[in-house]
Amino acid sequence: MAVWALGINHHTAPLDLRGRFAFALDQIAPTLHGLRDSLSSGSGRHPGVETAIISTCNRTEIYCAAEAPALDHTLDWLAHSGGVSPALLRSHSYSLDNSLVARHAFRVASGLDSMVLGEAQILGQMKDAVRAAEGAGALGTTLNQLFQRSFAVAKEVRTSTDIGAHSISMAAAAVRLAGQLFEDLTKIRVLFVGAGEMIELCTTHFAAKTPQQITIANRTLERGEKLATRFGGEVMRLADLPDHLHEFDAVISCTASTLPIIGLGAVERALKKRRHRPIFMVDLAVPRDIEPEVKQLEDVYLYTVDDLASVVQTAQAHRQAAVAQAEAIIDAGVQSFVHWMELRSPAAQNGGVVPLIQQLNSQADEWRALEIARAKKRLAKGEDIETVLEALSRGLTQKMLHGTMAELRAGDAEARAQTAQAVSRLFLRSHSKNGL
């Protein structure tokens, strides 16, 4: 199987271009169906291709696996879906294959490729993307292994290193910037537009500063009310936002809208009603929720996800040791994945490696089942449990070593010497490594 990936992120593409390729979670399944149909019917044909799409505010990435790679076709399809030329997308994208795909996926899951180094939110977003691909029937054995190993590596990185200890989240960065504009955050009124995970995080951080008022504006009142109740806030219909925008000193927006929901005219009218008292605005949505022209207004302080980059990259020096540790864990994970891929290659199959592994596992399971059955019978007769366990372990050991012992005693001296070397390599490696 060939594995390839294509993507754009905050390192390679500007915000507005990323917005063209942002897929909401409920769009993933139909988008995957479209991609698979295109790859299956295009030149070269890739029947049974595996696909997955990860789409966040900072990245959109396509992962594929098939008998042969189709990077150019994948790029053409993505460019068409975003309404741009393949040449433009190619200049802002990155493409990877085989082991490089695994390394990239492991780094993304571990938070090493995020705008906020070490942030944990991306791992949940990747898991959501994998569940969506599974639900769409687009995930096969290869990509499933890739992502499950990504999650395992990410878990090891988080438990074994301090990669996330000094990170500053987007939500915390928004509060920090607001604190630079307003002397006392307890006196400001804050409007949160949307009710998703990012808005929930931002509301949590701002609520800790006990602002004068918290209001949630959302398309569906029920979801907005649920979030507002948690923080003692109020709720507003999104349609009423233009009439009440002037009431708020800070506006934090992050919805899944494909078009801006706060326009230049609405902000200009709000400023006039406020007699040009400043408004602090943060647009965390991709595509944008707030028209970019708003940033040019004299009394508006508008920040996008890209504007927050310099804020969230503090304490970089403290994280370098953790990054080195994380990269070492990722290296080991990549080697393990490549080895797994090699075992599934036609050469390994034809060489008998995989069937032999299956036979060994089957034989070991048979021995284990036999000894467990014997142990259960002895326990049922009332024999001492330590005596039964001793017999079980001895029986398993004898079965596993019987063939080895027979080979060491059989044949001529040269054959026995070769067998002895193989036995030492297979059975005594851990002893020599530990100095025993």
Side-chain angles (χ1 to χ4, degrees), residues 55-115:
S55 185
T56 73
C57 60
N58 288 329
R59 72 183 65 249
T60 293
E61 296 179 341
I62 296 175
Y63 292 81
C64 299
E67 291 184 0
L71 265 167
D72 288 341
H73 189 107
T74 307
L75 186 140
D76 290 345
W77 176 88
L78 184 60
H80 178 75
S81 73
V84 303
S85 69
L88 176 63
L89 178 59
R90 185 173 285 107
S91 68
H92 288 285
S93 65
Y94 44 90
S95 56
L96 308 159
D97 59 11
N98 299 321
S99 65
L100 294 179
V101 176
R103 182 176 301 281
H104 180 75
F106 294 174
R107 295 186 84 254
V108 171
S110 301
L112 267 65
D113 196 58
S114 298
M115 182 180 290

Side-chain angles (χ1 to χ4, degrees), residues 9-11 13-19 22 56-59 114-117 119 121 125 168-171 173-174 177 198-199 202 251-255 280-290 292 295 301-313:
N9 64 19
H10 57 286
H11 296 302
L15 174 61
D16 289 330
L17 183 62
R18 299 202 306 273
T56 73
C57 60
N58 288 329
R59 72 183 65 249
S114 298
M115 182 180 290
V116 183
L117 183 63
E119 59 94 7
Q121 188 181 9
Q125 292 168 329
I168 299 176
S169 70
M170 289 289 186
L177 287 171
M198 182 59 76
I199 287 297
C202 289
V251 179
I252 318 297
S253 188
C254 187
T255 75
F280 171 77
M281 307 185 84
V282 178
D283 186 354
L284 295 173
V286 179
R288 296 175 189 258
D289 276 347
I290 303 173
K295 195 166 189 173
Y301 297 82
L302 172 60
Y303 298 89
T304 66
V305 286
D306 289 354
D307 294 325
L308 296 181
S310 60
V311 180
V312 301
Q313 290 302 335

